[in-house]
Amino acid sequence: MTEPTIYELSSIGRVGVLFPEPDVPLAEFPRDLLREDLPLPELAEVDVARHFTNLSTKNYSIDKGFYPLGSCTMKYNPKINEEMARLPGFAMTHPLQPADTVQGNLALMYQMQEFLKEISGFAGMSLEPSAGAQGEFTGVSIIRAYHQSRGDIKRKKILIPDSAHGTNPATSSMNGFEVVGVPSDARGNVDLEQLRKVCDDTVAGLMLTNPNTLGLFDENVVEVIKIVHQAGGLVYGDGANLNALLGIVRPGDLGFDIMHINLHKTFSTPHGGGGPGSGPVGVTRALVDFLPTPVVAITEPATEELPPLYGFVRPAHSIGRVKAFWGQFGMIVRAFTYIRMHGPDGLRKVSEYAVLNANYLMHILKDTYTLPYDRTCMHEFVIQGSWADAPGVRALDIAKRLMDYDFHPPTNYFPLIVHEALMIEPTETESKQTLDSFVDAMLKIAQEAHTNPELLHDAPHNTPVGRLDEVKAAKDLVLCCWIPESEDKLL
Ligand SMILES: *Cc1c(COP(=O)(O)O)cnc(C)c1O
């Protein structure tokens, strides 16, 4: 990095802060708390403002450009969401305030539960989990609690198709279950024959990501669910990405028993270093009593004169708490705003355009890049980042080279069932012009891979940090920015 650090910019005696005259008696500062050797930089406010503004533009973000990171649904986060979350009535409330002083917040949470139930087709909803993975953990805990409540304790296995998201097997084994893989068939669906073979009375459930990580909607999803139900298992739907389904199909109607929904993907709340997640969990009527505590409910119905009173209640057989307080409230406000801004028809359009954008890219790119499963895709698709006649070029090289063209790379090496996978999710918020310039870059890179592969191997060339040594980065972790050897230099 050639950029001077804030320490190098320091100039002795320069100040950026003027303290007001103290209006309390002065006292001696305890000397033993002072460190003489702290090299605090001395700068004017303008130097600090410029330094941090420059730093803020070194990272890539959705506000800077196209971010086709498959499975992560990096859609644009509308600024109105931020305005709403910052309203003092939402932002300045304390989680321990008595319920009767935060009725507006509770009303919003209650309505959000109702919206998500309506969108997903489930009978009950908890807003508590603070990420998709935590929603999964909650859901699988509910599967366990359900079987235990019936005295059915021999069910120790969770089935996971090989096209599932990586968090699914992790969730199951964190929950103490044995993970049993189920292969995909040639069309990228769950292989029904193989599924039947592993379904018996030791199966607690199946975790299904649908659309799966190939971006494909399982054509036999109803049959898959039926087979698991017939064996006495429950079916968990990974609904992190509802972006292809809004207003088109409801997982609850398909027969799923439990599902988490990532507000920080489909419902546009910032993520990826930009904000905490939120992974509400929906369940069927048979499972509502197992939801985490508490859920928001109407504790006193409206009368002619008074609005309803909202409060927290504990479901009868609750698995307990999964998070302190009441979920990521600020994220719930943002997602609520997003849902209200779009309305039912708008949400359906979101999904229609997300699917259209993904298919548009897929159809152009498949002439140049290998498309292992050539079917209409949903919100994303997976191509291969390698060619037989361009030996040595890998998906990683393509991903890195995209940065030189000012695009965030797609997800790579995932899903594992595709060799040199590049998983591309454009989302609905991108224009045709943006998609076309991404296509241009992808086609140029394919050409470079054949004519000048070194350009790809050394990429990125234009970013603040070049190609990193990934092995060194993993083996020789530097987790603090202070390098004692170099005395007065910070990274
Ligand atoms: C993102 C994602 C998850 C995990 O969600 P987090 O909020 O990152 O924990 C799970 N499943 C799928 C399909 C996802 O895309």
Side-chain angles (χ1 to χ4, degrees), residues 103 214 223 249 305 334 449:
Q103 283 294 302
L214 297 164
E223 185 64 19
V249 63
E305 301 87 50
R334 287 172 176 85

Side-chain angles (χ1 to χ4, degrees), residues 70-73 130-134 136 164-168 209 211 213 238-241 260 262 264-265 277-278:
S71 205
C72 295
T73 315
S130 60
Q134 204 194 8
E136 289 178 36
H165 193 266
T167 46
N168 298 178
T209 307
T213 59
D238 182 331
N241 321 110
H260 77 272
N262 281 15
H264 50 289
K265 290 178 180 167
S278 178

Side-chain angles (χ1 to χ4, degrees), residues 439-471:
V439 164
D440 286 347
M442 286 294 282
L443 299 184
K444 268 194 209 126
I445 292 171
Q447 220 168 37
E448 291 168 355
H450 291 84
T451 56
N452 189 1
E454 278 316 303
L455 204 54
L456 272 63
H457 290 142
D458 299 339
H461 304 273
N462 308 334
T463 48
V465 178
R467 179 77 70 106
L468 297 174
D469 179 341
E470 294 190 359
V471 178

Side-chain angles (χ1 to χ4, degrees), residues 56-74:
S56 75
T57 60
K58 290 200 186 305
N59 269 348
Y60 200 87
S61 69
I62 189 65
D63 281 353
K64 254 179 102 170
F66 185 44
Y67 210 130
L69 192 66
S71 205
C72 295
T73 315
M74 303 302 288

